[in-house]
Amino acid sequence: MTIVQENVVDLGDKGRDNIFGYGLTQSPYEQDGLQEVLSGITLKSPTHVYDSYGNQLKTYNQGKPVIYKSFSGDWYEAIVYINGKSTTGYFKTNDVENTDTDPISLKGVGLENKTNVYTLASTGSKVLKSYAQGKTLLYKTFSSDWYQATVYVNGRATNGYINKADVEEGTTNPESLKGIGLKNKTNVYTLASTGSKVLKSYAQGTTLLYETFSSDWYQALVYVNGKATNGYINKADVEEGTTNPESLQGIGLKNKTNVYTLASTGSKVLKSYAQGTTLLYKTFSSDWYQALVYINGKATSGYINKTDVEVITDSPEALKGTGLKNRTNVYALASEGSKVLKSYAQGSTLLYNTHTTNWYQAIVYLNGKATTGYINDSDVQTN
């Protein structure tokens, strides 16, 4: 479909018909009863409204909300006011963008140090109001690049526009999670910004409860002076705990294998176990297991560092081997520093089960009683 450019030639009474190429005095949509009323915003600065001859009737700034009707593939029809008089004009379809007919209410956070709400859907327009980075904002879908928001200016509700690049949409269906603080001081902030005020801080390894919020932030409820307050935790400051913990058995690798009050080696030690002691625990995080220990008869949750224990195989294999040492020892614990239950001469045939990387488990008889013991894998040769 063709239209005369801005250098208009007077085409006389038949100008409209020739310009639009229909030989008609109305839109094909109008003829078929399909002409649709649309809402949109202007995309150019400035955006022109033309008359039927292609002359400029009026101009609008970029981002101006406008109403028009479908007219042809290249044009929309609009009513504009010139000197107070209503006049039919035409927008080029490429000069405007249709806005959302069924806007959806959303919640998000400001990403900029100053997240602006503009008078028009254009960053070149006047700023109605600004919000700090990390501020939770309410808005509605509007166009491909803009949200619409209601702000209060001098106590008066005013429509404004937020650029999509300036905010991040929050999670619509938040998920409750549990994790541990990774920093010496794991902060909960007033806003979703590390530059905002700190509401509360937790020691490294503290177990924390929070909800998903955005790509970089969790939302948490903390108590400040006895009052429940919403705050925000940076995702880099915590590690999500295991959602489906698995029960495991392992042996302590250190002379003193510690169970800590928090998932931090800097926290208080609840209890210590001798090297080689068999321990029960559950998966918790990438670096920690959770264990239940008894302190003065009271069951207490504690944490074991993964480097301090070795997991026992859950599918032991029965083996037969030969003692390599003059005295091949079976120990009370999976540690050469533990008590020797029994010793066998070099070359003795021994029966044992796989247990850990460096230890086998064996049954020996002491005073006629079957007792579990442990053989170092370097002391035997498996046949």
Side-chain angles (χ1 to χ4, degrees), residues 106-128:
L106 300 171
K107 180 171 71 171
V109 292
L111 298 177
E112 303 281 327
N113 287 330
K114 276 192 165 185
T115 300
N116 295 327
V117 182
Y118 298 90
T119 51
L120 301 177
S122 166
T123 53
S125 65
K126 181 183 174 184
V127 174
L128 280 173

Side-chain angles (χ1 to χ4, degrees), residues 18 34 191 229 249 256 318 324 376 383:
N18 291 337
L34 298 175
L191 303 177
T229 306
Q249 277 188 313
K256 274 191 164 186
L324 297 177
N376 193 289
N383 300 327

Side-chain angles (χ1 to χ4, degrees), residues 131-315:
Y131 294 92
Q133 186 181 42
K135 178 73 174 175
T136 301
L137 303 171
L138 303 177
Y139 44 79
K140 291 181 179 180
T141 53
F142 183 68
S143 72
S144 59
D145 294 320
W146 291 86
Y147 294 119
Q148 189 177 54
T150 300
V151 295
Y152 286 83
V153 181
N154 299 323
R156 184 179 176 185
T158 307
N159 275 331
Y161 303 90
I162 302 172
N163 193 287
K164 285 190 176 182
D166 294 347
V167 290
E168 180 186 356
E169 191 179 328
T171 305
T172 52
N173 296 303
E175 180 187 357
S176 295
L177 300 171
K178 181 170 70 172
I180 57 169
L182 297 178
K183 295 195 170 182
N184 288 331
K185 280 184 122 181
T186 299
N187 295 327
V188 182
Y189 298 91
T190 51
L191 303 177
S193 166
T194 54
S196 65
K197 181 183 174 184
V198 175
L199 281 174
K200 205 163 187 177
S201 296
Y202 294 90
Q204 186 181 40
T206 303
T207 301
L208 303 170
L209 302 177
Y210 43 79
E211 291 184 344
T212 52
F213 182 70
S214 71
S215 60
D216 294 321
W217 292 86
Y218 294 119
Q219 189 175 50
L221 198 67
V222 295
Y223 285 84
V224 180
N225 299 323
K227 185 179 178 181
T229 306
N230 272 326
Y232 302 89
I233 302 172
N234 193 286
K235 285 190 176 182
D237 294 349
V238 289
E239 180 186 355
E240 192 179 329
T242 305
T243 52
N244 297 302
E246 179 188 358
S247 294
L248 301 171
Q249 277 188 313
I251 58 167
L253 296 178
K254 294 194 171 183
N255 288 330
K256 274 191 164 186
T257 299
N258 295 328
V259 182
Y260 299 91
T261 52
L262 303 176
S264 166
T265 54
S267 65
K268 181 183 174 184
V269 175
L270 281 173
K271 204 163 187 177
S272 296
Y273 293 91
Q275 187 180 42
T277 303
T278 299
L279 303 170
L280 303 178
Y281 45 79
K282 290 182 178 180
T283 52
F284 182 70
S285 72
S286 61
D287 295 320
W288 291 87
Y289 295 119
Q290 189 175 48
L292 200 66
V293 296
Y294 286 83
I295 308 295
N296 299 323
K298 185 179 177 182
T300 306
S301 276
Y303 302 90
I304 302 172
N305 194 285
K306 285 191 176 182
T307 60
D308 293 349
V309 289
E310 181 182 359
V311 176
I312 296 169
T313 180
D314 56 0
S315 301

Side-chain angles (χ1 to χ4, degrees), residues 64-125:
K64 174 75 175 175
V66 287
I67 297 173
Y68 41 80
K69 292 180 181 180
S70 53
F71 186 80
S72 72
D74 297 321
W75 295 90
Y76 291 121
E77 185 180 77
I79 299 297
V80 295
Y81 287 84
I82 310 295
N83 298 322
K85 183 181 177 182
S86 63
T87 306
T88 299
Y90 304 91
F91 285 109
K92 290 180 180 179
T93 54
N94 291 336
D95 290 353
V96 290
E97 177 188 354
N98 294 337
T99 51
D100 201 337
T101 53
D102 295 306
I104 302 169
S105 295
L106 300 171
K107 180 171 71 171
V109 292
L111 298 177
E112 303 281 327
N113 287 330
K114 276 192 165 185
T115 300
N116 295 327
V117 182
Y118 298 90
T119 51
L120 301 177
S122 166
T123 53
S125 65

Side-chain angles (χ1 to χ4, degrees), residues 2-5 7-21 51-55:
T2 58
I3 181 161
V4 172
Q5 299 302 311
N7 295 326
V8 179
V9 177
D10 187 358
L11 300 177
D13 293 337
K14 295 185 178 180
R16 183 169 188 252
D17 299 353
N18 291 337
I19 287 169
F20 289 98
D51 66 14
S52 59
Y53 297 101
N55 297 308

